[in-house]
Tab-separated table of all heavy atoms in Angstrom:
chain	number	residue	atom	x	y	z
A	1347	HIS	N	-67.544	123.129	50.374
A	1347	HIS	CA	-67.247	123.004	51.795
A	1347	HIS	C	-67.131	124.378	52.472
A	1347	HIS	O	-67.388	124.535	53.657
A	1347	HIS	CB	-65.936	122.220	51.945
A	1347	HIS	CG	-65.355	122.236	53.312
A	1347	HIS	ND1	-65.761	121.362	54.291
A	1347	HIS	CD2	-64.413	123.032	53.873
A	1347	HIS	CE1	-65.085	121.623	55.397
A	1347	HIS	NE2	-64.260	122.620	55.177
A	1372	HIS	N	-69.227	110.225	52.689
A	1372	HIS	CA	-68.734	111.566	52.445
A	1372	HIS	C	-67.281	111.476	52.010
A	1372	HIS	O	-66.491	110.786	52.634
A	1372	HIS	CB	-68.847	112.389	53.731
A	1372	HIS	CG	-68.484	113.818	53.532
A	1372	HIS	ND1	-69.431	114.805	53.488
A	1372	HIS	CD2	-67.296	114.417	53.348
A	1372	HIS	CE1	-68.817	115.960	53.287
A	1372	HIS	NE2	-67.520	115.757	53.196
A	1373	TRP	N	-66.978	112.193	50.936
A	1373	TRP	CA	-65.610	112.177	50.455
A	1373	TRP	C	-65.154	113.624	50.289
A	1373	TRP	O	-65.762	114.386	49.552
A	1373	TRP	CB	-65.561	111.421	49.118
A	1373	TRP	CG	-64.184	111.222	48.570
A	1373	TRP	CD1	-62.995	111.433	49.212
A	1373	TRP	CD2	-63.847	110.773	47.258
A	1373	TRP	NE1	-61.940	111.133	48.393
A	1373	TRP	CE2	-62.441	110.730	47.174
A	1373	TRP	CE3	-64.605	110.400	46.151
A	1373	TRP	CZ2	-61.778	110.333	46.033
A	1373	TRP	CZ3	-63.937	110.012	45.008
A	1373	TRP	CH2	-62.530	109.970	44.957
A	1374	HIS	N	-64.063	113.993	50.955
A	1374	HIS	CA	-63.517	115.340	50.809
A	1374	HIS	C	-62.682	115.331	49.526
A	1374	HIS	O	-61.512	114.962	49.543
A	1374	HIS	CB	-62.643	115.715	52.008
A	1374	HIS	CG	-63.290	115.412	53.319
A	1374	HIS	ND1	-64.416	116.068	53.751
A	1374	HIS	CD2	-62.986	114.514	54.283
A	1374	HIS	CE1	-64.759	115.596	54.926
A	1374	HIS	NE2	-63.919	114.646	55.277
A	1380	CYS	N	-66.835	118.818	48.416
A	1380	CYS	CA	-67.230	117.583	49.090
A	1380	CYS	C	-68.185	116.809	48.195
A	1380	CYS	O	-69.021	117.394	47.524
A	1380	CYS	CB	-67.978	117.895	50.377
A	1380	CYS	SG	-66.971	118.730	51.588
B	44	LIG	NI1	-65.895	117.129	52.906
Side-chain angles (χ1 to χ4, degrees):
H1347 169 84
H1372 186 105
W1373 185 12
H1374 312 294
C1380 296

